């Protein structure tokens, strides 16, 4: 899978929620077409949380009587509610007041047990989205607003949890994994192991190695005023916002610093902003910027692991320029637009965990061959290569194959040890058909949409001894793991995959996102 094209960059910005500009008329409400959420989308995940909060009987009653779209709230109506729980997307969920029909209010930046005042701006199926106006009664066991290190927290859509302790964040993310497998795996509960505690990120701030602020081109009215000389051409126009999406809106929030981004990126952001302000009238279209933290040069001796003072980092802003990163003693190069995990500090714990899952201490011998599907620029292939006789990374993207092959050379892997192959989507495992399945481990790290049925069919036919599924979307991972297990039960000839372990990894502290690692063993 070409991650450089298809894999969303988690948490660069949260999709804006469209809101009406005025209260819709009753006739407009009747004509409105109701669209159900795409399966496994963030809207579908939210719907599962809403059903769990209201209860099956309440939801069933509304569906039976056709009232699931009949919101009890008007546009911009203000209401006071008590938060019951958090959604898997990080929003607060609250029952509507007892005086109204059963309904759920969805609001940002609030916590269970808090009484909040909100303003409704959009209604959907048995729930309404609302702006948080006030935390009337805070939950001081959870909330400490002094923890927030960003002056834009509460306005920017990027972070959800800066008011929480880090241990609390990790616990919430473990619960997201639990709910994902309950809701989407279709597996019997007794076959799902207890989800292990979420692995923490070594850095909780200053960790993001890539950010993509954006801004809009000058509006027509402002451009005309500038051309007539009625506005200053050097001052920053009031309409110009360079940053990330404002929570729940289509508007951009002007952001001068992002505390979860690395210091290198924040240092580069200021002069970039100044240059945009200086040249804003030359832009005909809006622009999405790229800022990536990169090592300036690879060392002449790659066996030397430099200290922080010896390794100069720069900010890369060109989509086609080369970005360089180091994970422990392994170096990676890839184009600026390509996918690479955006929290370097957690990559050694992540790859070490995957290695330990493949080679548990309880087994006297382990796999000799590794297949790294969706290998990208070779993160898992190269980090785990010393532990295998032969490694094959498979990708659909020719550009990613080129980067991975270059990285194997940079890191001086023995010739023939590690190969990167362009696999055809219809028969991706044909390139490794000579690998012994009982001595082969498979790592899959797909884009957010997960794997597809043809891929899973091939996986089951290949029947390798161990599968480690790394995912940036635990909900599609749960679906795929369920499909793999059930398909093997049907076609495995007495063999079956057992879900041995589940664990979240926190690649994006202060946000609701959680990465997930599932380990399957063939028995």
């Amino acid at each position: 899978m070409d991650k450089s094209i298809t894999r969303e960059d988690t948490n660069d910005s949260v999709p804006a929620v469209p809101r009406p500009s005025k209260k819709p008329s009753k006739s407009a409400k009747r004509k409105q077409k109701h669209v159900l959420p795409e399966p496994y989308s963030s809207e579908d995940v939210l719907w599962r949380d809403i059903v769990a909060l209201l209860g099956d009987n309440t939801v069933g009653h509304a569906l039976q009587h056709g009232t699931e779209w009949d919101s009890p709230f008007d546009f911009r109506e203000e209401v006071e509610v008590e938060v019951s729980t958090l959604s898997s997307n990080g929003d607060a969920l609250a029952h509507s007041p007892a005086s109204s029909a059963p309904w759920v209010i969805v609001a940002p930046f609030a916590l269970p047990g808090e009484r909040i005042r909100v303003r409704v701006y959009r209604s959907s199926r048995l729930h309404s989205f609302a702006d948080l106006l006030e935390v009337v009664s805070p939950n001081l066991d959870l909330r400490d607003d002094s923890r927030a290190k960003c002056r834009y927290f509460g306005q920017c859509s990027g972070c959800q949890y800066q008011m929480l302790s880090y241990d609390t964040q990790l616990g919430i993310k473990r619960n997201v994994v639990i709910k994902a497998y309950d809701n989407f795996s279709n597996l019997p509960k007794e076959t799902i192991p207890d989800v292990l505690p979420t692995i923490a990120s070594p850095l909780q701030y200053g960790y993001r190695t890539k950010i993509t602020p954006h801004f809009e081109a000058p509006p027509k009215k402002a451009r005309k005023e500038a051309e007539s000389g009625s506005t200053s051409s050097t001052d920053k126009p009031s309409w110009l916002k360079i940053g990330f999406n404002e929570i729940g809106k289509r508007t951009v929030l002007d952001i001068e610093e992002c505390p979860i981004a690395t210091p290198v990126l924040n240092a580069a952001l200021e002069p970039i902003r100044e240059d945009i302000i200086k040249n804003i009238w030359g832009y005909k279209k809006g622009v999405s910027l790229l800022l990536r933290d990169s090592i300036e040069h690879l060392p002449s001796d790659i066996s030397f692991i430099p200290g922080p003072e010896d390794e100069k980092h720069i900010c890369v802003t060109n989509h086609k320029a080369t970005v360089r990163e180091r994970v422990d003693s392994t170096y990676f190069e890839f184009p600026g637009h390509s996918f690479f995990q955006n929290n370097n500090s957690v990559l050694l714990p992540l790859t070490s965990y995957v290695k330990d899952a493949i080679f548990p201490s309880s087994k006297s011998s382990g796999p000799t061959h590794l297949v790294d599907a969706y290998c990208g620029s070779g993160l898992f292939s190269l980090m785990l290569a010393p532990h295998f006789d032969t490694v094959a990374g498979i990708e659909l993207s020719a550009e990613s194959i080129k980067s991975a092959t270059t990285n194997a050379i940079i890191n001086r892997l023995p010739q023939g040890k590690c190969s990167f192959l362009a696999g055809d989507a219809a028969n991706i495992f044909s390139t490794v058909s000579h690998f012994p399945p009982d001595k082969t481990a498979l790592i899959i790290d797909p884009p957010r949409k997960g794997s597809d049925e043809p891929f899973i069919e091939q996986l089951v036919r290949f029947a390798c001894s161990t599968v480690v599924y790394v995912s940036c979307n635990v909900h599609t991972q749960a679906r795929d793991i369920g499909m793999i297990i059930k398909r093997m039960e049907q076609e495995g000839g007495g063999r079956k995959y057992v879900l041995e372990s589940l664990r979240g990894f926190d690649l994006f502290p202060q946000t609701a996102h959680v990465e997930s690692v599932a380990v399957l063993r063939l028995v």
Side-chain angles (χ1 to χ4, degrees):
M1 182 64 63
D2 183 359
K3 297 188 203 177
S4 66
I5 297 174
T6 63
R7 182 167 182 168
E8 292 91 333
D9 183 23
T10 305
N11 202 47
D12 273 342
S13 61
V14 175
V17 179
R19 56 175 74 199
S21 57
K22 60 182 181 179
K23 181 177 177 179
S25 65
K26 289 183 178 179
S27 60
K29 284 183 179 179
R30 283 195 297 270
K31 294 177 182 178
Q32 184 178 355
K33 184 178 180 181
H34 300 307
V35 179
L36 297 180
E38 282 286 320
Y40 313 103
S41 65
S42 59
E43 293 82 7
D44 190 28
V45 172
L46 174 61
W47 170 249
R48 302 297 184 108
D49 287 333
I50 286 164
V51 171
L53 183 59
L54 291 175
D56 290 338
N57 290 339
T58 298
V59 172
H61 183 272
L63 297 180
Q64 183 180 357
H65 290 83
T67 59
E68 72 269 32
W69 299 96
D70 298 342
S71 172
F73 303 108
D74 290 328
F75 175 60
R76 294 186 66 80
E77 181 175 344
E78 294 185 14
V79 62
E80 193 171 299
V81 291
E82 183 171 323
V83 178
S84 297
T85 188
L86 292 176
S87 75
S88 293
N89 303 325
D91 287 322
L93 304 182
H95 285 283
S96 59
S99 57
S100 72
W103 204 259
V104 174
I105 293 288
V106 183
F109 307 121
L111 302 171
E114 294 187 330
R115 191 146 193 89
I116 58 175
R117 188 167 60 88
V118 300
R119 181 189 295 128
V120 172
Y121 64 81
R122 184 168 71 91
S123 292
S124 188
R125 193 185 190 200
L126 284 172
H127 63 284
S128 296
F129 295 95
D131 292 319
L132 176 65
L133 301 179
E134 179 188 4
V135 179
V136 178
S137 301
N139 181 348
L140 298 180
D141 290 335
L142 294 177
R143 178 183 293 275
D144 182 351
D145 290 332
S146 68
R147 293 189 179 109
K149 294 187 178 182
C150 181
R151 56 182 146 162
Y152 306 106
F153 180 67
Q155 298 173 273
C156 176
S157 61
C159 293
Q160 294 77 44
Y161 293 155
Q162 288 192 24
M163 78 294 250
L164 293 171
S165 72
Y166 192 49
D167 283 346
T168 299
Q169 294 184 39
L170 296 177
I172 289 171
K173 295 183 182 193
R174 177 178 179 268
N175 195 48
V176 170
V177 179
I178 293 171
K179 289 195 296 180
Y181 275 79
D182 285 346
N183 290 334
F184 295 106
S185 72
N186 291 315
L187 292 172
K189 283 187 179 294
E190 62 270 17
T191 66
I192 302 173
D194 287 341
V195 176
L196 298 168
T198 308
I199 296 291
S201 169
L203 295 177
Q204 287 95 57
Y205 282 93
Y207 63 84
R208 274 199 73 105
T209 54
K210 175 187 173 184
I211 57 173
T212 55
H214 50 279
F215 62 94
E216 299 297 332
K220 290 182 180 179
K221 181 180 179 182
R223 194 180 292 278
K224 286 181 180 180
E225 291 175 352
E227 290 171 351
S228 68
S230 59
T231 60
S232 170
S233 60
T234 56
D235 293 339
K236 179 176 178 291
S238 60
W239 52 262
L240 177 57
K241 313 292 183 185
I242 308 165
F244 306 108
N245 287 346
E246 193 169 358
I247 187 71
K249 299 181 180 179
R250 294 184 183 275
T251 53
V252 178
L253 185 68
D254 198 43
I255 289 180
E256 297 173 344
E257 179 187 27
C258 177
I260 65 171
T262 66
V264 167
L265 300 190
N266 278 311
L269 183 58
E270 182 178 356
I272 289 172
R273 286 172 53 87
E274 291 173 355
D275 186 69
I276 293 167
I277 294 166
K278 181 180 177 181
N279 298 289
I280 187 59
W281 303 108
Y283 289 95
K284 305 301 182 186
K285 295 181 179 179
V287 175
S288 182
L289 303 166
L290 172 71
L291 287 80
R292 293 199 89 143
D293 192 316
S294 172
I295 298 169
E296 186 174 30
H297 300 294
L298 294 180
S300 55
D301 179 8
I302 65 161
S303 63
F304 169 68
I305 302 178
E309 70 282 354
D310 301 316
E311 191 171 68
K312 183 179 178 183
H313 283 238
I314 59 172
C315 176
V316 170
T317 58
N318 187 328
H319 288 70
K320 295 182 180 179
T322 298
V323 177
R324 301 174 180 90
E325 291 206 30
R326 176 176 58 83
V327 181
D328 196 22
S329 59
T330 304
Y331 289 87
F332 298 89
E333 288 188 346
F334 48 90
H337 63 82
S338 291
F339 174 81
F340 198 82
Q341 293 287 8
N342 292 334
N343 180 349
N344 183 282
S345 76
V346 79
L347 295 186
L348 181 57
L350 174 62
T351 52
S352 297
Y353 180 85
V354 170
K355 184 260 294 180
D356 291 341
I358 294 172
F359 297 99
S361 57
S362 60
K363 292 187 180 294
S364 56
S365 64
T368 56
H369 291 61
L370 173 65
V371 177
D372 182 8
Y374 309 96
C375 69
S377 52
L379 174 64
F380 288 105
S381 295
L382 300 184
M383 293 296 291
L384 273 62
H387 306 282
F388 291 90
D389 295 341
T390 308
V391 176
I394 303 175
E395 256 287 353
L396 301 183
S397 162
E399 184 178 55
S400 294
I401 293 296
K402 182 179 178 181
S403 294
T405 302
T406 298
N407 291 332
I409 296 170
I410 288 172
N411 291 282
R412 299 176 184 171
L413 266 68
Q415 192 167 6
K417 169 96 169 183
C418 197
S419 58
F420 294 95
L421 312 163
D424 184 271
N427 195 14
I428 199 167
F429 286 97
S430 64
T431 53
V432 291
S433 58
H434 58 290
F435 279 25
D438 61 328
K439 287 292 184 179
T440 298
L442 170 67
I443 297 173
I444 50 179
D445 184 11
R448 288 189 63 80
K449 67 179 182 180
S451 297
D452 55 22
E453 286 199 47
F455 179 90
I456 289 173
E457 288 173 2
Q458 297 168 58
L459 186 158
V460 168
R461 285 199 299 269
F462 189 78
C464 57
S465 62
T466 303
V467 178
V468 180
Y469 190 139
V470 182
S471 176
C472 61
N473 184 345
V474 65
H475 308 98
T476 53
Q477 182 198 57
R479 174 202 66 196
D480 293 348
I481 289 291
M483 289 174 62
I484 292 168
I485 289 174
K486 292 195 173 183
R487 188 65 60 89
M488 182 57 84
E489 287 176 352
Q490 296 166 358
E491 302 177 12
R495 298 173 301 171
K496 64 178 182 178
Y497 277 120
V498 173
L499 181 54
E500 188 173 272
S501 65
L502 276 173
R503 186 165 224 157
F505 272 76
D506 190 17
L507 268 70
F508 296 94
Q510 319 309 327
T511 80
H513 179 77
V514 61
E515 203 95 351
S516 177
V517 179
V519 180
L520 292 172
R521 204 79 68 182
L522 188 65
V523 296

